[in-house]
Amino acid sequence: MPIRTIIEPFRIKSVEPIRWTTRAQREEHLRQAFYNVFLLDSEDVLIDLLTDSGTGAMSTAQWAAIMKGDESYAGSPSFYRFRDSIQEIMGYKHVIPTHQGRAAERILFGVMCKKGDVVPNNTHFDTTRANVEYTGAEAVDLLREEGRQPALNHPFKGNMDVEALESLIQRVGRTRVPLVMLTITNNSGGGQPVSMENARQVSAVCRKHKIPLYFDACRFAENAYFIKLREPGYADKMPKQIAQEMFALGDGCTMSAKKDGMANIGGFLCTNDDVIAQQEKNLLILTEGYPTYGGLAGRDLEAIAVGIQEALEEDYLRYRITSTGYLGRKLSEAGVPIVQPPGGHAIYLDARAFLPHVPLHQFPGVALTCELYLEGGIRAVEIGTLMFGNAAKMDLVRLAIPRRVYTQSHIDYVVEVLIELWKRRKDITGLELAYEAPFLRHFTARLLPVADVAVAVSSR
Ligand SMILES: Cc1ncc(COP(=O)(O)O)c(C=O)c1O
C-alpha cells in the first residue's frame, strides 16, 4: 500500500514546552526588539524557524556518544573518531575542527586570499561573503540564470554558471583566483541543490586552471538526496555514495556541523593540501585551539562523528525532504508565492511577490517577517535587502526547519498562519532603518514601521 501520511522516523523521548503569547504581548516584544526578530527572546517565540543551524534535536546515539567524550587537550580519541567519520564521507586528507562554519571560513580565506583576489561561488552565504571581503578579496556570485527566478521550477537551481566562471578566470587571470567555492545546497539562493553534472563541470574548469575547488558543505546530505531523487543515474545509489562522489571532485571543504552534522555546535575545515593545512593549523592554534579540538569540547566532536553519518540515513532524508516539500506544496496551493521547487532545509517566501506594494528600501522581507511573528508567534528570517543591501537579487523570507524538532502538526499551524497573512497582505506596510552596523547589519539592525516614522516626522 502506498503510504501518503508523512511520519517522523523517530519517537520522542524528551519534550521541551513551547509558550503561547497574546497578540498584544507580541506587539510589545517586537517593538522592544526594534522590529528585528534577531533581537527577540526565544522564549517569546512559539515556532522558531529562524534557522536550521544548531537547532536540531540529537539522537539517543549522539547523546550516548557524548558520554564517551574525552576532554584531553591533545590527541583525544574523540578527535580521531570525528576525523575518521568525516574522512569516510569526504575523503580529504586534513580535517581541522573549528567552533562553527564561519571560523572554518575565516581560517580558509585568511590563509588563501589577499587584497585584489576574486573568489567565485554559486552564491556566497552572508558569513562567507563577509569573510572573503574581510581579507580584501572580492566575493563574486555566479549563480545560473534559472536560480535567480523564484517561481521557476527547475531541479538544480543551485548550479553555478560554468561559462561565467571560465570567463571570469580569463578576465581577471588565474593568479587572482585562489580558490573556487561551491555551496551545497545553495542556502541564500533558496536552499536549492547543485547537480553532480554541474559540480563535475566546475571541477573540470578548476582542474584546467589549477585552481582548488572547495565545497561549502553545510547541507551536503540534503544535496546528495536531491541528486538521488532528481538526477538521472543516481536513483539506486545511497546518499553516502553520492556525497563521496561529489567530494572527490574537490580539494577541500568548509562545514558548519550545526546543519548536516546534526550537532548544536561545531564545524570543520578540510583540505588535501599539506602546505595550506599547516598554515591553517597555525592560525587555528592562534584563534580556535589545538588541532585535535579546534575550539570544541571532546563531547562535541563525538556528537558530530555520529550526527554526520545519521544525516545521510535514507529514512531520515526522505522524511526531511518530504516534510519540507509538504509545507511548500500547501502554501503554493493557497497561492502564496514561494521559491520553487521547495528547498531541502527551508521554504523561502518571495516577499517581493507577496508584498509588491512595499518598495525595496522599505524591506518587504522584514515586513513579512514581522507580520508572521505578530500573527502567529512564528520567527523566520529575511534574506534580502536588509541582509545584502543593494547586492540583493531577491527579497526572500526563509522558514528554516530545525532537524527532527517540529512535528507535522507544527507544520500545519505554520501553513494556517501564512494563509491568513496572505489573505490580508494588502494591509502590511514596510519599515525604515534606524541603525545599522558596518558588517552583517541584519543581525543588529534597528528598524521602525514607516507609519511610525511618518507620525514622528509630521509631529516635529
Ligand atoms: C551555506 C552556509 N555557509 C556557511 C554558514 C556559516 O556557518 P556557521 O553559522 O556555523 O558559522 C552557514 C550558516 O548558516 C550556511 O548556511
Side-chain angles (χ1 to χ4, degrees):
M1 153 182 118
I3 307 288
R4 280 189 300 276
T5 309
I6 302 169
I7 67 160
E8 291 79 13
F10 47 80
R11 296 186 294 192
I12 297 167
K13 198 175 234 173
S14 171
V15 295
E16 187 182 3
I18 50 177
R19 199 167 70 87
W20 289 95
T21 48
T22 63
R23 171 134 192 148
Q25 286 171 329
R26 291 194 293 274
E27 280 170 5
E28 183 55 21
H29 294 320
L30 200 58
R31 201 182 57 75
Q32 287 188 7
F34 296 98
Y35 300 88
N36 181 348
V37 292
F38 278 105
L39 303 181
L40 285 170
D41 287 347
S42 62
E43 286 189 332
D44 298 327
V45 174
L46 184 68
I47 306 274
D48 205 345
L49 307 183
L50 183 69
T51 177
D52 63 319
S53 179
T55 52
M58 286 202 291
S59 66
T60 47
Q62 283 178 291
W63 284 111
I66 278 175
M67 291 306 293
K68 288 192 285 180
D70 179 309
E71 305 302 342
S72 305
Y73 188 90
S76 159
S78 298
F79 170 72
Y80 298 117
R81 282 191 278 272
F82 166 87
R83 184 198 61 189
D84 294 349
S85 178
I86 291 164
Q87 275 180 337
E88 197 225 333
I89 299 165
M90 302 185 166
Y92 300 124
K93 191 167 170 198
H94 300 276
V95 178
I96 301 172
T98 59
H99 80 274
Q100 62 182 87
R102 69 198 68 185
E105 292 167 355
R106 189 183 54 76
I107 291 172
L108 175 72
F109 302 131
V111 165
M112 295 192 75
C113 299
K114 60 181 184 321
K115 196 168 166 19
D117 284 348
V118 177
V119 179
N121 200 327
N122 42 352
T123 310
H124 288 84
F125 183 66
D126 61 355
T127 59
T128 324
R129 171 173 287 279
N131 274 299
V132 168
E133 289 172 351
Y134 193 69
T135 68
E138 188 190 348
V140 179
D141 291 344
L142 298 178
L143 191 63
R144 275 183 64 89
E145 181 49 35
E146 54 265 16
R148 280 184 246 142
Q149 299 173 40
L152 184 80
N153 219 318
H154 182 282
F156 292 105
K157 286 171 80 176
N159 283 352
M160 183 181 272
D161 185 334
V162 183
E163 274 128 54
L165 174 65
E166 179 68 57
S167 53
L168 177 85
I169 298 169
Q170 300 284 354
R171 185 162 50 79
V172 304
R174 180 259 163 269
T175 51
R176 282 181 60 203
V177 186
L179 75 159
V180 172
M181 280 207 106
L182 203 49
T183 304
I184 55 172
T185 58
N186 187 25
N187 183 0
S188 313
Q192 300 293 328
V194 174
S195 70
M196 190 70 80
E197 178 59 20
N198 186 252
R200 229 178 265 130
Q201 290 170 355
V202 170
S203 173
V205 171
C206 290
R207 297 260 144 98
K208 185 173 100 187
H209 293 282
K210 298 196 169 46
I211 298 172
L213 171 62
Y214 279 72
F215 290 99
D216 178 339
C218 295
R219 297 178 184 82
F220 75 96
E222 292 172 8
N223 201 93
Y225 195 67
F226 277 122
I227 290 176
K228 181 179 170 78
L229 293 181
R230 297 179 184 171
E231 193 160 347
Y234 288 93
D236 296 330
K237 293 207 167 148
M238 289 182 333
K240 189 186 282 186
Q241 291 173 306
I242 300 172
Q244 287 164 333
E245 184 178 332
M246 182 157 281
F247 288 121
L249 297 168
D251 303 281
C253 69
T254 55
M255 172 80 186
S256 168
K258 300 169 76 177
K259 284 85 171 175
D260 282 350
M262 298 288 218
N264 300 122
I265 194 68
F268 55 87
L269 174 57
C270 291
T271 181
N272 280 335
D273 186 318
D274 296 340
V275 177
I276 294 285
Q278 193 54 56
Q279 291 172 22
E280 288 170 347
K281 286 179 196 171
N282 293 345
L283 195 51
L284 186 86
I285 291 172
L286 196 65
T287 58
E288 290 277 305
Y290 191 73
T292 58
Y293 74 88
L296 294 172
R299 55 181 170 269
D300 300 324
L301 299 171
E302 297 279 2
I304 296 166
V306 175
I308 202 162
Q309 299 285 342
E310 289 181 352
L312 285 164
E313 281 170 11
E314 208 153 328
D315 278 354
Y316 159 72
L317 282 168
R318 184 182 312 110
Y319 139 78
R320 173 128 179 105
I321 302 300
T322 313
S323 172
T324 309
Y326 168 91
L327 172 59
R329 195 177 71 247
K330 287 281 170 190
L331 293 176
S332 303
E333 283 167 4
V336 176
I338 66 163
V339 173
Q340 296 286 2
H345 66 295
I347 293 299
Y348 292 69
L349 308 171
D350 180 354
R352 290 187 192 179
F354 201 116
L355 303 176
H357 55 283
V358 177
L360 299 190
H361 68 272
Q362 290 179 4
F363 309 106
V366 182
L368 189 52
T369 306
C370 288
E371 287 299 320
L372 197 53
Y373 177 69
L374 289 175
E375 184 74 27
I378 299 166
R379 178 156 68 168
V381 67
E382 186 249 24
I383 299 191
T385 306
L386 183 63
M387 190 178 270
F388 295 121
N390 292 335
K393 306 227 166 44
M394 299 186 260
D395 275 81
L396 305 175
V397 170
R398 186 184 73 177
L399 308 168
I401 320 287
R403 291 165 182 78
R404 307 188 288 205
V405 169
Y406 293 115
T407 63
Q408 274 306 106
S409 56
H410 291 118
I411 300 287
D412 281 326
Y413 171 79
V414 174
V415 171
E416 188 181 329
V417 170
L418 264 162
I419 292 177
E420 206 42 49
L421 281 189
W422 177 242
K423 285 188 200 146
R424 57 171 195 79
R425 60 192 178 278
K426 290 199 173 62
D427 305 333
I428 301 174
T429 52
L431 298 112
E432 283 189 10
L433 201 55
Y435 163 78
E436 63 178 311
F439 303 110
L440 300 172
R441 66 177 180 172
H442 52 289
F443 287 125
T444 51
R446 294 178 186 177
L447 298 107
L448 286 173
V450 273
D452 294 3
V453 176
V455 170
V457 169
S458 68
S459 59
R460 257 184 216 153

